[in-house]
Amino acid sequence: DQQVKQNSPSLSVQEGRISILNCDYTNSMFDYFLWYKKYPAEGPTFLISISSIKDKNEDGRFTVFLNKSAKHLSLHIVPSQPGDSAVYFCAASAYGGSQGNLIFGKGTKLSVKP
Amino acid sequence: DVKVTQSSRYLVKRTGEKVFLECVQDMDHENMFWYRQDPGLGLRLIYFSYDVKMKEKGDIPEGYSVSREKKERFSLILESASTNQTSMYLCASTDNTRYEAFFGQGTRLTVV
């Protein structure tokens, strides 16, 4: 049973607009959430994270929002750029679990069109 | 910068062969992981290790084994490769002070 769900396999956005990638989770023990970006034939790279004690974390063009009551988080990219085209994975970790033992969603492929 | 290096970018092996995938990290991380990535399935954890000579099964350990004789090196072994093990294999590491795992560049394994 999937504990981390990314229900949109793909998303297409125009350059300069906002990209919103969504992620839902089922395990209330998750206390830390991360977003990774992956280009083809490369390993995932860490993008941004958020602790469960916060509801927002911002880093440049990237902002992650967490709604604990809805067990939902989202990644906002503003403005979107063609170089942002990649697969984005949402991941979660639970306190007490081995650090870095992350549960990943299936990913959302973002295409940013010039 | 943390560097996680996987020994091969691309491998082609025959069914039934024993396959070794090697991973080395240079940041003295305690924890190392092997994932596989398949289209539509995301990243799935095969095995992880939180110390030398220690190993724990992940979600899909069947058909795989691992070895961690030194802290910096974590090997994934396919005892008898099968075509359903064709995949992208990703190694990752992290220490005990953070959640963010650092990934290698991946090994695209094709079993024919």
Side-chain angles (χ1 to χ4, degrees), chain A residues 31-32 34 36 38 40-46 49 87 89 93-95 98-107, chain B residues 9-10 31 33 35 37 40-43 45 48 50 88 90 94-106:
Chain A
D31 64 342
Y32 203 83
L34 306 91
Y36 280 82
K38 186 181 183 301
E42 293 185 15
T45 54
F46 169 71
S49 63
V87 177
F89 290 99
S93 183
Y95 178 78
S98 173
Q99 301 298 89
N101 188 2
L102 302 171
I103 310 295
F104 284 87
K106 293 185 177 181
Chain B
R9 292 295 298 269
Y10 301 94
N31 309 303
F33 306 82
Y35 290 87
Q37 183 204 358
L41 296 177
L43 276 70
L45 182 64
F48 65 100
Y50 52 87
M88 167 72 91
L90 295 160
T94 192
D95 62 25
N96 287 331
T97 65
R98 68 177 89 205
Y99 287 91
E100 300 87 66
F102 295 88
F103 283 84
Q105 77 276 29

Side-chain angles (χ1 to χ4, degrees), chain A residues 39-58:
Chain A
Y39 293 117
E42 293 185 15
T45 54
F46 169 71
L47 194 57
I48 192 170
S49 63
I50 188 166
S51 165
S52 61
I53 62 173
K54 296 186 175 182
D55 55 19
K56 177 181 174 181
N57 188 27
E58 195 171 349

